[in-house]
Amino acid sequence: MRTRKIGLDYPSNSEACPVETTLDVIGGKWKGVILFHLIDGKKRFNEFRKLHPCITQRMLTLQLRELERDGVIHREIYKEVPPKVEYSLTEFGRTLEPIILLMKDWGVQHKNSVNKEVRTTRNEELK
Amino acid sequence: MRTRKIGLDYPSNSEACPVETTLDVIGGKWKGVILFHLIDGKKRFNEFRKLHPCITQRMLTLQLRELERDGVIHREIYKEVPPKVEYSLTEFGRTLEPIILLMKDWGVQHKNSVNKEVRTTRNEELK
DNA sequence: CTGAATCCCCAGAGATACTG
DNA sequence: CAGTATCTCTGGGGATTCAG
């Protein structure tokens, strides 16, 4: 999503769309989920894995790195054996909390309205 | 994003994460942008293209179809020549407005804090 | 004008194995 | 424990052409 911007010079790209700016930060495949879990407090690497077994190690690492790079989360490394790393929201990251929480609320309320299955029906109803 | 769910039976997948449900609906590459523009009122196909020249015809069509399939937007076809199609938010779609507007606000406020360029610095600062 | 249909490529993502 | 390092491969997405 970010690479799309490289080399392009459309004048009113993200200028016309602040929404895009936001989605650049939280729109990654698992970023919303990660941020959501961080609202409760700091989490360790394997805690995320337990919370979402379907996220692969690789993807979890990548998404965490991008969030860190964007200044949204902080990565605290404890020089212990065995190693221990804790992720937490930064001040900047906290500004995203309202959005994440609103997304959570919407998800809870409309979970049943959203059809999760593959849509087989393609009703093109003309009128 | 949606296909990921097919065939998987992780117990606490989107159950643990309502955020994921929401992102399934608005997390598509251009969906946030599209929804944002629809808040002002109905839009025609080419209006979107003018608003965001960087979206290809193909992607615009695909994203619109998915949003329609999710019941978020309505596609009104006028049987005229030349053809005319108008997209608008459904009742259901309007429930997403607060989220989109919040994302817009955040984008406006933090546009400058978000580094749009490619990050070349990879400072892994241990402590 | 509003798409649908193809072709095609490569980056995103999975699987697996290895490491400090 | 918390990651890298490769390898692989799919499907997301661009470019182009056709259609009602």
Side-chain angles (χ1 to χ4, degrees), chain B:
Chain B
M1 196 137 186
R2 193 175 310 277
T3 50
R4 172 173 41 77
K5 291 210 173 72
I6 302 172
L8 297 182
D9 54 352
Y10 290 104
S12 58
N13 191 356
S14 44
E15 241 134 304
C17 256
V19 175
E20 216 187 326
T21 305
T22 307
L23 281 176
D24 270 351
V25 177
I26 66 172
K29 191 173 185 184
W30 301 107
K31 291 182 184 176
V33 172
I34 291 174
L35 293 177
F36 172 63
H37 288 304
L38 280 180
I39 290 181
D40 316 336
K42 44 184 64 172
K43 294 276 182 300
R44 298 185 58 176
F45 192 78
N46 269 8
E47 292 189 77
F48 286 119
R49 303 202 65 200
K50 283 168 195 163
L51 288 169
H52 269 267
C54 54
I55 310 183
T56 61
Q57 249 182 12
R58 169 193 161 84
M59 284 313 296
L60 182 55
T61 303
L62 290 177
Q63 299 282 290
L64 286 168
R65 286 296 176 283
E66 286 189 24
L67 285 170
E68 185 191 5
R69 214 174 40 181
D70 285 337
V72 174
I73 67 174
H74 173 65
R75 181 163 167 249
E76 185 79 21
I77 307 175
Y78 298 87
K79 309 209 91 176
E80 306 174 354
V81 177
K84 172 180 172 183
V85 178
E86 276 181 347
Y87 296 90
S88 57
L89 287 178
T90 61
E91 278 296 312
F92 184 53
R94 292 195 192 288
T95 63
L96 286 166
E97 278 192 17
I99 299 180
I100 304 290
L101 290 175
L102 208 52
M103 294 203 308
K104 186 210 67 173
D105 291 341
W106 192 93
V108 169
Q109 282 182 17
H110 302 94
K111 175 183 298 188
N112 299 327
S113 310
V114 179
N115 187 3
K116 296 269 179 50
E117 315 306 327
V118 186
R119 278 68 152 201
T120 50
T121 54
R122 276 301 291 259
N123 303 323
E124 297 281 359
E125 33 203 326
L126 304 181
K127 61 182 300 185

Side-chain angles (χ1 to χ4, degrees), chain A residues 11-35:
Chain A
S12 58
N13 191 356
S14 44
E15 242 134 304
C17 254
V19 175
E20 216 187 326
T21 304
T22 308
L23 280 176
D24 270 351
V25 177
I26 66 172
K29 191 173 185 184
W30 300 107
K31 291 182 184 176
V33 172
I34 291 173
L35 292 177

Side-chain angles (χ1 to χ4, degrees), chain A residues 56-104:
Chain A
T56 61
Q57 250 182 11
R58 169 193 161 82
M59 285 311 296
L60 181 55
T61 302
L62 290 177
Q63 299 282 290
L64 286 169
R65 287 296 177 283
E66 287 189 24
L67 287 170
E68 185 192 4
R69 215 174 41 184
D70 285 337
V72 175
I73 67 175
H74 172 66
R75 181 163 167 249
E76 185 80 21
I77 307 175
Y78 298 86
K79 306 209 94 179
E80 304 174 357
V81 177
K84 173 179 171 184
V85 177
E86 278 182 346
Y87 295 90
S88 56
L89 288 178
T90 61
E91 278 296 310
F92 183 54
R94 292 195 192 289
T95 63
L96 286 166
E97 277 192 18
I99 299 179
I100 303 291
L101 290 175
L102 208 53
M103 294 203 308
K104 185 210 67 173

